[in-house]
Amino acid sequence: MYAVKQSTTASLKSAAAVGRRVTGPGNYIRVRKAHVPGSRVNGQGSVRAAISGGDKVTVTAATPLQSKGVDKLSSSGGGEIQVKAVVTIRKKMKEKITEKIEDQWEFFINGIGQGILIQLVSEQVDPVTNSGKIVQSAVRGWLPKPVPSEYAHIVEYAADFTVPSDFGCPGAIMVTNLQGKEFYLLEIVIHGFDGGPIFFPANTWIHSRKDNLESRIIFKNQACLPGQTPPGLKDLRREDLLSIRGDGKGRRKEHDRIYDYDVYNDLGNPDKSKDLARPVIGGEERPYPRRCRTGRPPTKTDPLTESRIEKPHPVYVPRDEAFEEIKQNTFSTGRLKALLHNLIPSLAATLSSTDNPFECFSDIDDLYSDGVLMREKDEEKKEGKKLFLGSMVKEVLSVGERWLKYEIPAVIKMDRFAWLRDNEFARQTLAGVNPVNIEILKEFPILSKLDPAVYGPPESAITRELLEQEINGMSVDKAIEEKRLFILDHHDTYMPFIERMNALPGRKAYASRTVFFYTPAGIVRPIAIELSLPPTALSPQNKRVYTHGHHATTHWIWKLAKAHVCSNDAGIHQLVNHWLRTHASVEPYIIATHRQLSSMHPIYKLLHPHMRYTLEINALARQSLINGGGIIEASFSPGKYAMDVSSAAYKDMWRFDMEALPADLLRRGMAVEDPSAPCGVKLVIEDYPYAADGLLVWSAIKEWVESYVEHYYSEPNSVTSDIELQEWWSEIKNKGHEDKRNEPWWPKLNTKEDLSGVLTTIIWVASGQHAAINFGQYPFGGYVPNRPAIMRKLIPQEDDPDYEMFISNPQQTFLSSLATKLQATKIMAVQDTLSTHSPDEEYLGQVNPLESHWINDNEVMKMFNRFSDRLKEIEHTINLRNKDSRLKNRSGAGIPPYELLLPTSGPGVTGRGIPNSISI
């Protein structure tokens, strides 16, 4: 059977000419074996069309009305009722003159009923077609009701239907766009059925019929499991999922909404330069999560590398994943592209000829007080382009000159010398931008897991005697027993790459270990730092241990050692904890959710807010941040080996079951099991702001998810019998994380408890975890000495030629070891952008007012409101903690409060706020 998808007179007449049967008002017309171009095939061997006077269309069938929520339809006579559809469309907020003219024309076309065709699909089956009953109408006219001023870019149209009284409750709408370009459909509301209006939330781009003949299917806001799908909607549910999956072939077009998987084979550009060739990330040699497939042709130089799309041209993401206009105009696409396309080149033009190190600390201070005088390119002067305007990075124009001025980062705003102190260095492992690597020291001696034949003896050079000197004579065994020794261990992650990293120009790094002591007074302080290089014939154990010391020389060397640790930590933070464990790992969850869970599915509805913008920001990252020669390679110590480091961490350390916050804390020994505690764990260090606040947020998410899952999966075996859900989980493991598919630690998905655990982990990673390690990037990293992303010199030793220079001017040695002015200003600008909330940010526990009809279940809404209220309580609790003088890692003289897990925020760089999703 073919279903007519258009209302043009010629098509309908040609279909009717083949053969029809008209039996009066309220009856249907059946046309056999006539194909209308662009119609939908469903295999039944006939064409369904319906015609009546004007634009109104009627169909009927003999089945009596049996729709939940609709008891009886008010009839206009002859067993018919009049139904109105209100179609809400969002127009562009800012348009060019030509676009405005086009919009006026489309406004006219829609007004006369020639632009949009919609079909109501009943939940009941038409006995003739064996599919859902359909009535069809053209959208025409516009509602005279004034639209609130804050939504001035929203337009409403109407469509009228004459519906037979036994039509049943509509469960889906098929939308056909007859215009020449796409439009953004917010929702359709059907009025006229008993029981009140029926909402069909869309929030989707409707492609033009010239780009794709298929109509779009929009389901009403009723969540149902596959086995509960109304009979009239079963075919459509299946069809919609098939259309999203695609066939894995061909190049994706901008209007497509196809989700599929691919490896990271688009980071290099060997056609441009052999120095920009990069290996494929993903596969047996370099395992990695999968990305969204774009299908571009291979490069000429390397058939395994996908050809690149360079800025400012967009990388494909499924159409609905792209940033909405307010985010484009006020923040991410516009701002990030301005940053990458205009600011970074201008910084390079300004500083590259004199790319010198900072000569004194006042040079760094000048970035915040005076700024950088920018050199404009000729075309920018000619076109009057603005380079960049952020919340932390500001342009200051004066007398024909352009200055780039940075705001003072939070870490030095209250105390500019805080970064120098050991307790601040230690505090940031618990309350900084990367509080997820510190772990308890469980055994001694400290051992490497690397191959000793390649990397030398596994024992650390940190000795028992040295530690006992630093902890006032307490034995190491007693300190371990009392849980007082902790370690930040980046040795095994970096050591396999150090030799290659140090061969890169202007880069010098070690593989570091840092041991901390948790004092009886509740203060964590660093007591020993081990910096290692690969073994050589002359130095088979190339490891040096540094302590604080008690005179000027050792004090400065200790500062350099801490800077190298921070540089190690900055790389791990960016490449592993931030990019890999949130951005890259979540992308397969999003792809699988769209491919395997219908938008009718309750789990799809639960996860939908947590998928917003992630594929787009990841595509931008592949284009300009993590690509060969991109900003991450330029700004962090691993350089061109950055993604190799990330892949190795995925291979050795990433486990889905350990991404749950309580499990991660237990794995690192930062918590112990405690059944009486809210999340079943008790912190070893009570004043651990990230963990203490994180557990509050985790607990709230868990409670919300468990109540939601219980609501929909109350029946025995309902999880295992959910075909879509089981395929979703199977695809995440076997396609999205294909290189880890055979690992034994993947959770089972047999019970509602299993499902709740999986969903809580996914939502936590996309919301709380990402917020905790992303939005502090500029507040902590915006002051280069506090958190250098790159080091350019090793620590001078007594037999080195530079040692005398170090002795005579240790400050210059320290500053010349850090990033150059160009490198520093680049990474500061990027960190500022990545730390910024967009004005249209959607925060955890909040619903966009334009999406308030996302579900029509009052019980679910009550649960969600409880979740929202709980997050408000958490915000209050965190604010009280930040005022508690006993909690020295978040309060005290010059100590910035820990706010990264406060649920709400305003726009800009605020150092707080938990968005629903990884949106930057």
Side-chain angles (χ1 to χ4, degrees):
M1 183 201 76
Y2 305 90
V4 176
K5 292 292 187 72
Q6 56 179 341
S7 63
T8 58
T9 305
S11 296
L12 290 177
K13 282 183 176 178
S14 64
V18 178
R20 65 183 183 182
R21 178 165 57 88
V22 182
T23 58
N27 287 356
Y28 60 87
I29 298 167
R30 186 172 61 207
V31 188
R32 295 195 178 276
K33 297 184 180 178
H35 178 62
V36 180
S39 60
R40 177 173 62 87
V41 179
N42 73 358
Q44 297 298 318
S46 65
V47 171
R48 181 174 61 240
I51 304 173
S52 70
D55 293 311
K56 297 178 183 176
V57 182
T58 63
V59 297
T60 188
T63 309
L65 183 65
Q66 294 176 342
S67 287
K68 181 180 179 181
V70 182
D71 299 319
K72 184 179 180 182
L73 299 177
S74 56
S75 173
S76 62
E80 298 174 351
I81 61 166
Q82 301 301 313
V83 174
K84 181 182 291 292
V86 176
V87 180
T88 306
I89 293 172
R90 189 185 67 211
K91 309 300 291 182
K92 285 190 176 180
M93 299 166 67
K94 294 181 180 179
E95 297 177 303
K96 300 175 183 177
I97 296 296
T98 54
E99 290 175 330
K100 288 183 178 179
I101 294 172
E102 288 177 2
D103 280 350
Q104 289 299 319
W105 172 247
E106 289 172 8
F107 194 61
F108 170 74
I109 291 297
N110 288 338
I112 62 173
Q114 298 297 313
I116 304 171
L117 185 71
I118 62 176
Q119 296 170 298
L120 292 188
V121 183
S122 172
E123 294 178 346
Q124 294 186 5
V125 170
D126 182 335
V128 176
T129 65
N130 207 30
S131 295
K133 304 172 189 176
I134 291 180
V135 293
Q136 176 174 291
S137 175
V139 172
R140 62 162 49 239
W142 39 89
L143 300 184
K145 181 180 69 174
V147 179
S149 58
E150 64 266 32
Y151 301 133
H153 55 290
I154 290 175
V155 180
E156 292 180 334
Y157 297 100
D160 295 317
F161 296 86
T162 299
V163 180
S165 59
D166 62 352
F167 179 75
C169 183
I173 295 177
M174 291 191 288
V175 182
T176 305
N177 177 10
L178 304 176
Q179 304 170 72
K181 65 178 186 179
E182 65 183 3
F183 66 86
Y184 192 84
L185 178 64
L186 282 171
E187 71 174 0
I188 300 175
V189 184
I190 305 298
H191 299 270
F193 289 90
D194 287 350
I198 303 171
F199 294 93
F200 294 78
N203 299 293
T204 184
W205 288 97
I206 305 296
H207 59 259
S208 169
R209 192 170 177 274
K210 70 179 180 63
D211 292 324
N212 184 344
L213 295 175
E214 293 295 318
S215 296
R216 282 296 308 281
I217 303 166
I218 311 296
F219 295 105
K220 75 174 183 179
N221 61 347
Q222 175 71 50
C224 62
L225 300 175
Q228 301 165 345
T229 308
L233 305 182
K234 287 182 178 179
D235 287 349
L236 291 184
R237 183 168 183 153
R238 183 170 57 252
E239 268 184 49
D240 194 40
L241 282 175
L242 289 173
S243 71
I244 287 170
R245 293 173 194 161
D247 58 7
K249 300 176 183 177
R251 181 171 182 169
R252 299 275 63 87
K253 301 179 179 64
E254 186 178 357
H255 64 264
D256 286 343
R257 53 190 288 268
I258 294 175
Y259 297 76
D260 205 353
Y261 302 94
D262 208 343
V263 293
Y264 283 71
N265 61 354
D266 61 341
L267 302 179
N269 193 350
D271 287 352
K272 186 175 182 179
S273 167
K274 65 179 183 180
D275 292 334
L276 293 177
R278 295 293 182 270
V280 173
I281 304 296
E284 186 175 348
E285 186 176 352
R286 292 179 177 86
Y288 216 63
R290 297 303 189 255
R291 64 167 176 96
C292 187
R293 182 183 178 277
T294 56
R296 297 191 301 271
T299 59
K300 298 174 183 177
T301 311
D302 180 6
L304 298 179
T305 298
E306 187 175 270
S307 56
R308 286 184 54 77
I309 295 289
E310 301 295 352
K311 57 183 187 290
H313 303 291
V315 175
Y316 167 80
V317 292
R319 186 65 186 95
D320 289 337
E321 303 298 327
F323 292 144
E324 293 181 19
E325 191 179 6
I326 186 171
K327 195 169 177 81
Q328 293 174 347
N329 290 340
T330 61
F331 176 60
S332 289
T333 300
R335 188 172 172 206
L336 191 55
K337 284 185 177 176
L339 166 76
L340 301 171
H341 193 56
N342 295 323
L343 175 63
I344 296 300
S346 296
L347 279 170
T350 301
L351 298 173
S352 58
S353 59
T354 57
D355 187 16
N356 298 323
F358 295 103
E359 293 182 2
C360 57
F361 285 99
S362 59
D363 283 354
I364 301 173
D365 295 339
D366 287 345
L367 293 173
Y368 317 112
S369 58
D370 297 336
V372 180
L373 176 62
M374 302 300 295
R375 180 182 302 163
E376 294 180 81
K377 295 184 285 188
D378 291 339
E379 62 268 24
E380 286 167 351
K381 291 180 181 177
K382 195 178 298 180
E383 297 177 21
K385 285 184 181 178
K386 277 196 171 184
L387 295 177
F388 186 78
L389 185 61
S391 54
M392 283 284 141
V393 183
K394 298 179 179 178
E395 277 186 313
V396 181
L397 307 178
S398 73
V399 201
E401 294 181 336
R402 183 169 299 205
W403 294 80
L404 187 72
K405 186 177 177 181
Y406 290 82
E407 287 288 332
I408 299 174
V411 71
I412 60 165
K413 201 164 194 175
M414 298 167 66
D415 180 355
R416 62 178 297 190
F417 301 111
W419 68 277
L420 285 165
R421 291 194 290 269
D422 284 356
N423 61 346
E424 178 62 19
F425 173 79
R427 189 189 75 85
Q428 289 183 30
T429 66
L430 301 169
V433 71
N434 189 40
V436 297
N437 277 110
I438 187 170
E439 55 188 317
I440 201 162
L441 186 60
K442 297 178 181 177
E443 56 188 13
F444 202 87
I446 302 165
L447 299 174
S448 168
K449 296 178 181 177
L450 298 175
D451 183 356
V454 178
Y455 300 106
E459 293 84 9
S460 166
I462 298 174
T463 64
R464 186 182 298 271
E465 292 74 23
L466 183 144
L467 290 183
E468 290 175 352
Q469 282 179 1
E470 296 296 322
I471 58 179
N472 302 320
M474 180 185 286
S475 72
V476 167
D477 292 338
K478 184 172 180 58
I480 289 176
E481 181 186 346
E482 293 185 3
K483 302 186 187 313
R484 295 200 176 277
L485 290 178
F486 296 83
I487 187 169
L488 189 66
D489 193 346
H490 298 316
H491 178 277
D492 286 7
T493 303
Y494 274 110
M495 183 55 76
F497 300 95
I498 290 293
E499 188 171 358
R500 284 174 283 172
M501 286 164 54
N502 288 348
L504 297 172
R507 292 167 198 255
K508 289 294 180 276
Y510 300 94
S512 70
R513 289 189 179 106
T514 308
V515 177
F516 300 86
F517 181 62
Y518 181 40
T519 71
I523 301 296
V524 178
R525 62 180 180 88
I527 57 175
I529 292 173
E530 179 191 65
L531 300 179
S532 302
L533 294 171
T536 64
L538 296 176
S539 181
Q541 189 159 336
N542 210 350
K543 305 171 183 179
R544 292 182 183 270
V545 178
Y546 301 91
T547 58
H548 186 280
H550 300 286
H551 59 86
T553 301
T554 55
H555 192 69
W556 273 105
I557 289 177
W558 176 247
K559 283 186 178 66
L560 284 166
K562 288 195 296 182
H564 274 283
V565 171
C566 288
S567 179
N568 265 200
D569 198 60
I572 295 297
H573 164 260
Q574 198 65 260
L575 300 170
V576 179
N577 298 327
H578 181 209
W579 172 255
L580 166 64
R581 292 178 61 188
T582 63
H583 286 261
S585 293
V586 166
E587 185 155 345
Y589 310 153
I590 295 171
I591 297 170
T593 299
H594 284 283
R595 285 169 53 88
Q596 298 297 341
L597 299 181
S598 166
S599 59
M600 303 172 71
H601 200 291
I603 302 307
Y604 177 94
K605 291 183 178 294
L606 175 70
L607 291 177
H608 187 258
H610 306 290
M611 303 188 291
R612 185 176 188 239
Y613 293 158
T614 304
L615 296 193
E616 172 83 338
I617 196 63
N618 285 4
L620 282 170
R622 297 200 313 274
Q623 187 178 44
S624 299
L625 292 178
I626 64 169
N627 60 302
I631 289 174
I632 298 300
E633 288 192 0
S635 304
F636 290 86
S637 291
K640 66 187 290 185
Y641 305 107
M643 288 301 289
D644 291 276
V645 171
S646 191
S647 170
Y650 179 71
K651 178 181 181 180
D652 296 335
M653 294 185 288
W654 188 88
R655 292 177 49 156
F656 180 89
D657 59 331
M658 291 293 111
E659 294 302 295
L661 178 58
D664 174 60
L665 293 171
L666 291 170
R667 176 185 63 84
R668 292 190 284 122
M670 300 304 292
V672 293
E673 292 185 359
D674 183 355
S676 65
C679 295
V681 297
K682 179 183 178 182
L683 295 178
V684 172
I685 299 176
E686 182 183 355
D687 187 13
Y688 185 1
Y690 156 77
D693 295 356
L695 287 172
L696 292 178
V697 176
W698 169 273
S699 179
I701 295 171
K702 182 172 180 283
E703 183 180 327
W704 153 236
V705 169
E706 285 177 345
S707 61
Y708 188 93
V709 168
E710 172 64 33
H711 183 70
Y712 288 102
Y713 292 90
S714 57
E715 297 297 321
N717 303 319
S718 52
V719 170
T720 53
S721 63
D722 185 337
I723 299 171
E724 288 181 7
L725 187 71
Q726 293 299 326
E727 285 299 316
W728 168 77
W729 187 231
S730 174
E731 188 166 291
I732 285 174
K733 295 183 294 183
N734 295 308
K735 289 188 176 181
H737 286 271
E738 181 179 340
D739 302 328
K740 294 271 190 176
R741 64 189 180 278
N742 295 322
E743 296 288 353
W745 41 253
W746 283 103
K748 305 295 182 185
L749 197 61
N750 296 327
T751 67
K752 58 190 177 186
E753 290 78 17
D754 295 340
L755 177 57
S756 295
V758 165
L759 294 172
T760 302
T761 298
I762 290 174
I763 293 173
W764 159 253
V765 170
S767 57
Q769 179 73 352
H770 180 258
I773 59 179
N774 180 73
F775 293 105
Q777 290 193 74
Y778 187 83
F780 287 98
Y783 187 67
V784 175
N786 178 65
R787 194 166 177 78
I790 192 170
M791 294 293 284
R792 301 189 304 120
K793 293 182 179 180
L794 299 176
I795 296 176
Q797 305 301 320
E798 290 186 17
D799 54 350
D800 291 343
D802 292 340
Y803 190 76
E804 285 305 317
M805 185 182 296
F806 162 66
I807 294 296
S808 62
N809 194 340
Q811 176 179 283
Q812 185 179 13
T813 298
F814 181 86
L815 290 172
S816 65
S817 298
L818 306 180
T820 64
K821 291 180 181 179
L822 175 58
Q823 290 171 324
T825 48
K826 270 186 182 183
I827 192 59
M828 288 165 68
V830 174
Q831 287 172 334
D832 164 69
T833 300
L834 299 182
S835 302
T836 301
H837 289 294
S838 170
D840 74 333
E841 199 82 88
E842 294 177 6
Y843 295 96
L844 196 63
Q846 297 180 356
V847 174
N848 187 322
L850 295 176
E851 299 179 19
S852 58
H853 302 126
W854 66 281
I855 201 164
N856 69 344
D857 192 314
N858 288 331
E859 284 302 311
V860 169
M861 290 309 301
K862 289 178 184 176
M863 297 173 199
F864 183 80
N865 290 336
R866 285 197 296 271
F867 175 52
S868 299
D869 291 342
R870 178 70 185 117
L871 289 170
K872 292 173 185 174
E873 294 171 7
I874 289 171
E875 186 148 328
H876 179 68
T877 300
I878 292 174
N879 286 329
L880 289 178
R881 286 176 173 178
N882 286 331
K883 296 175 182 177
D884 188 340
S885 60
R886 296 170 300 175
L887 301 176
K888 295 179 174 57
N889 287 324
R890 60 197 310 158
S891 66
I895 301 294
Y898 187 77
E899 297 182 326
L900 288 169
L901 286 168
L902 281 173
T904 63
S905 173
V909 178
T910 63
R912 59 176 289 168
I914 305 176
N916 272 321
S917 62
I918 300 168
S919 56
I920 184 58

